[in-house]
Amino acid sequence: MKRALITGITGQDGSYLAELLLQKGYEVHGLVRRLSVPNFSNLEAIKDRIVLHDGDMLDSASLQRIAADAKPDEVYNLAAQSFVHVSFGQPVLTSDVTGVSVFRLLEAVRQRAPDARFYQASSSEMFGLAAVSPQDERTPFHPRSPYGVAKVMAFWATVNHRESYGMYATNGILFNHESPRRGLEFVTRKIARGVARIAEGLDRKLVLGNLDAKRDWGYAPEYVEGMWRMLQHPQPDDFVLATGESHTIREFCELAFKEVGVGNWEKHVESDPRFFRPAEVHALCGDATKARTLLGWKPKTTFPQLVSLMVQAERERLRAKP
């Protein structure tokens, strides 16, 4: 039986990945940071089938201990301070958790589980002000946030350990991928929840930032399958996962309101400069040709389907807990 260690296991991607690996017969271990009020809601259905280890990405000793105890065949590093807007207010913390900590984890794996295959969750935010579109594995990075800068550090740390020590270390450069498990601070979940509340008569307005920002949005469970496929590839490499389509936040709003039968959506939405980034990433669109060719991976859920399932999930939540 293969063993996998997932950092960030309580998040959207970590929980979907844990479920996928259990289905494939893995023994799944997860790193969790001890909080006064733990949030294991995403793991509710599987918490009795996984092994959780207390640790912290800022603490090298705990990472060394967990790598030794879990004895993983595969390590998936999904832990990060992942909210871009917060990274502008907390740039040093973001650089440590999202960037420097990848060195800590790579070193723990190299020293305690040297044969493990390592996956680093890289991000389309590394491209930032991209000179070309769509972006692929050869596109130069131009990050536009402390989060993007930290992810670039983590990307090159992973490449450096691969080239310096012969580690099986792979970067997955994932474009935006969403689901009902997305954190409330992320714009897609914020829209889905806001639209559901307006449809139920609980709110009248939805306040957002830049409505014209364009992103390449996919469905998270399909993307975690891509992560797994990367670590089954014979050689470590770097792969983009994306749909190849980009849509504006304005389009997301229009489809979301249409899903609940609310017309004239503009009267319900306000754009507030407080939610704009100091340095905006205006448009991102990925080219996943390499992943499709070498891994056999391709997205299945369309943009309208993604919007629909997120909005309907929020309506079900509201009806379950009025």
Side-chain angles (χ1 to χ4, degrees):
M1 177 185 292
K2 279 189 176 181
R3 291 184 173 196
L5 171 62
I6 304 171
T7 70
I9 194 171
T10 61
Q12 169 188 262
D13 290 7
S15 59
Y16 282 125
L17 179 61
E19 292 172 357
L20 175 72
L21 295 180
L22 287 172
Q23 291 170 10
K24 293 183 178 297
Y26 280 65
E27 179 180 308
V28 176
H29 295 250
L31 181 152
V32 292
R33 184 163 56 95
R34 181 57 58 190
L35 301 172
S36 57
V37 182
N39 182 9
F40 297 132
S41 58
N42 288 336
L43 301 175
E44 197 63 38
I46 61 170
K47 63 183 180 182
D48 296 330
R49 301 170 59 200
I50 59 179
V51 181
L52 298 178
H53 302 261
D54 290 339
D56 197 306
M57 294 296 290
L58 301 179
D59 178 27
S60 294
S62 68
L63 299 181
Q64 293 274 345
R65 171 179 50 79
I66 293 167
D69 290 348
K71 299 180 178 61
D73 299 293
E74 297 172 3
V75 177
Y76 296 86
N77 182 36
L78 312 184
Q81 191 300 99
S82 58
F83 189 34
V84 174
H85 192 76
V86 166
S87 77
F88 284 102
Q90 298 180 325
V92 177
L93 176 66
T94 300
S95 68
D96 201 351
V97 175
T98 305
V100 177
S101 286
V102 178
F103 282 102
R104 296 186 184 102
L105 184 58
L106 281 163
E107 281 297 282
V109 172
R110 183 173 75 88
Q111 294 172 26
R112 303 295 184 177
D115 294 326
R117 297 188 170 197
F118 182 90
Y119 171 86
Q120 167 58 25
S122 292
S123 168
S124 60
E125 288 288 334
M126 300 188 305
F127 296 122
L129 194 66
V132 297
S133 185
Q135 297 89 44
D136 64 16
E137 295 82 4
R138 297 163 296 180
T139 303
F141 300 140
H142 187 155
R144 297 268 282 174
S145 67
Y147 170 77
V149 171
K151 281 294 188 181
V152 170
M153 178 194 294
F155 175 92
W156 286 115
T158 303
V159 172
N160 186 256
H161 270 67
R162 181 170 73 215
E163 295 178 349
S164 299
Y165 304 114
M167 289 179 65
Y168 189 110
T170 285
N171 282 290
I173 307 173
L174 273 55
F175 281 66
N176 292 60
H177 46 288
E178 317 297 319
S179 78
R181 297 183 190 175
R182 211 31 157 154
L184 283 169
E185 67 271 22
F186 290 89
V187 68
T188 51
R189 178 80 188 280
K190 187 176 180 180
I191 294 170
R193 185 171 186 266
V195 168
R197 289 182 61 84
I198 289 170
E200 297 295 326
L202 300 173
D203 287 332
R204 297 181 63 186
K205 289 288 184 181
L206 175 59
V207 182
L208 303 170
N210 180 11
L211 300 180
D212 295 314
K214 296 181 74 173
R215 295 292 184 269
D216 185 324
W217 276 306
Y219 185 38
E222 296 166 5
Y223 283 55
V224 301
E225 186 200 352
M227 298 175 189
W228 174 78
R229 286 179 181 243
M230 288 180 208
L231 292 198
Q232 313 318 304
H233 192 59
Q235 301 297 327
D237 206 342
D238 306 317
F239 295 92
V240 163
L241 298 186
T243 70
E245 298 180 8
S246 62
H247 300 273
T248 63
I249 292 172
R250 193 180 299 275
E251 289 176 79
F252 200 107
C253 288
E254 185 177 3
L255 284 176
F257 278 99
K258 185 178 179 181
E259 182 69 23
V260 297
V262 175
N264 193 17
W265 66 270
E266 292 97 335
K267 73 178 184 180
H268 297 287
V269 176
E270 292 180 2
S271 178
D272 189 328
R274 287 181 304 152
F275 298 113
F276 281 57
R277 299 180 183 182
E280 185 60 76
V281 174
H282 297 288
L284 291 172
C285 183
D287 179 355
T289 298
K290 183 177 176 180
R292 185 169 59 249
T293 304
L294 297 183
L295 306 178
W297 179 89
K298 62 180 180 179
K300 303 180 182 71
T301 303
T302 67
F303 179 65
Q305 288 171 339
L306 175 65
V307 176
S308 175
L309 70 87
M310 290 190 69
V311 172
Q312 292 306 327
E314 293 302 324
R315 298 194 82 178
E316 290 172 12
R317 282 192 178 109
L318 284 177
R319 289 164 181 170
K321 296 181 179 180

